[in-house]
């Protein structure tokens, strides 16, 4: 029997919260109350503050979920008293003092264009192959053309005390991910002591495989 009714979803870089629609539909169908954080991805501090405001407004405990860079956000914001567990979806799970910048220094950085006025974008021509290889071409093209600027400051924001050290966590490894290499995902999941599932999917697994993502979130809510 599910005891936690609130689910809070945090998106990553280059996208906004609308990508969670499939997961939202899966979870709300089961009566869960789903809250989607529209974090601006300008700086880690701002994104954590936005996430905490959502958590402040809840009427009870919640599962906090992050995709990609959203994993950094939930690692920092997850200390909030309303958070009972964490779910990482093909996400960064940094330790104390780590950031996206330190975690992607080795292996090589994915096809991110040089910063423009302090913001990053993915190369449109390689967006589908790197981020969304298992989505229909039109969907991947739309995501490439509707990219949200990702602030360089967000990449450099480091975690002070990762919530996964104090709260149970789950991790979905996307085995065909070309943004965060699967071996790196497995390493972060193991380090966090997370319960791991592996799904054949791209970095956009939360869009392409919403049922699998929702299944893992429901497991963390019991």
């Amino acid at each position: 029997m599910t005891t936690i009714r609130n689910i809070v979803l945090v998106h990553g870089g280059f996208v906004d919260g609308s990508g969670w629609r499939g997961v939202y539909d899966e979870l709300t169908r089961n009566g869960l109350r789903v809250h989607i954080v529209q974090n601006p991805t300008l700086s880690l501090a701002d994104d954590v503050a936005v996430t905490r405001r959502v958590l402040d407004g809840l009427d009870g405990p919640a599962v906090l979920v992050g995709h990609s860079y959203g994993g950094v956000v939930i690692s920092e914001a997850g200390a909030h008293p309303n958070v009972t567990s964490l779910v990482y979806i093909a996400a960064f799970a940094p330790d104390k003092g780590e950031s996206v910048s330190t975690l992607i220094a080795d292996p090589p950085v994915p096809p991110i264009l040089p910063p423009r006025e302090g913001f990053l974008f993915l190369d449109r021509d390689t967006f589908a192959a790197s981020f969304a290889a298992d989505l229909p071409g039109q969907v991947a093209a739309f995501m490439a053309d509707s990219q949200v600027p990702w602030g360089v400051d967000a990449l450099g924001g480091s975690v002070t005390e990762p919530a996964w050290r104090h709260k149970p966590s789950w991790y979905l490894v996307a085995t065909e991910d070309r943004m965060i290499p699967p071996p790196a995902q497995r390493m972060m999941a193991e380090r966090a002591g997370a319960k791991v599932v592996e799904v054949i999917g791209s970095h956009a697994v939360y869009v392409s495989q919403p049922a699998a993502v929702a299944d893992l979130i429901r497991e963390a809510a019991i």
Side-chain angles (χ1 to χ4, degrees):
M1 189 72 176
T2 299
T3 56
I4 300 169
R5 308 307 304 174
N6 291 299
I7 310 295
V8 178
L9 306 176
V10 183
H11 66 80
F14 306 120
V15 296
D16 66 12
S18 63
W20 288 113
R21 179 59 191 267
V23 174
Y24 174 93
D25 289 345
E26 291 281 344
L27 294 173
T28 55
R29 192 175 295 129
N30 297 121
L32 293 169
R33 179 70 177 94
V34 181
H35 312 259
I36 297 174
V37 179
Q38 290 286 14
N39 45 311
T41 65
L42 299 177
S43 73
L44 178 59
D46 286 345
D47 295 334
V48 169
V50 171
T51 303
R52 283 176 175 159
R53 280 197 291 272
V54 172
L55 293 167
D56 286 342
L58 301 182
D59 58 1
V63 177
L64 185 58
V65 184
H67 169 254
S68 191
Y69 161 72
V72 184
V73 179
I74 71 170
S75 294
E76 184 74 5
H80 192 285
N82 279 340
V83 175
T84 60
S85 54
L86 307 162
V87 179
Y88 294 85
I89 308 298
F92 292 104
D95 203 346
K96 183 175 182 179
E98 292 181 342
S99 65
V100 172
S101 294
T102 63
L103 288 170
I104 65 175
D106 180 31
V109 177
I112 300 175
L113 296 171
R116 298 201 314 250
E117 298 181 355
F119 295 99
L120 297 169
F121 293 88
L122 280 180
D123 183 348
R124 185 191 183 283
D125 292 339
T126 60
F127 185 97
S130 59
F131 196 103
D134 57 349
L135 290 177
Q138 285 186 316
V139 176
F142 177 81
M143 292 175 71
D145 287 334
S146 61
Q147 287 184 62
V148 177
W150 192 8
V152 172
D153 287 347
L155 273 76
S158 59
V159 168
T160 57
E161 179 63 25
W164 51 257
R165 287 195 171 275
H166 310 286
K167 298 181 180 183
S169 61
W170 282 254
Y171 197 110
L172 186 148
V173 174
T175 62
E176 305 301 313
D177 198 328
R178 296 176 186 170
M179 293 293 294
I180 305 176
Q185 294 183 38
R186 295 184 186 107
M187 178 278 292
M188 290 184 286
E190 181 179 2
R191 181 174 68 175
K195 179 169 183 180
V196 179
V197 300
E198 299 206 359
V199 173
I200 299 172
S202 73
H203 192 59
V205 66
Y206 69 112
V207 181
S208 64
Q209 308 255 10
V213 172
D215 283 346
L216 188 62
I217 294 170
R218 281 191 289 264
E219 185 177 324
I222 295 174

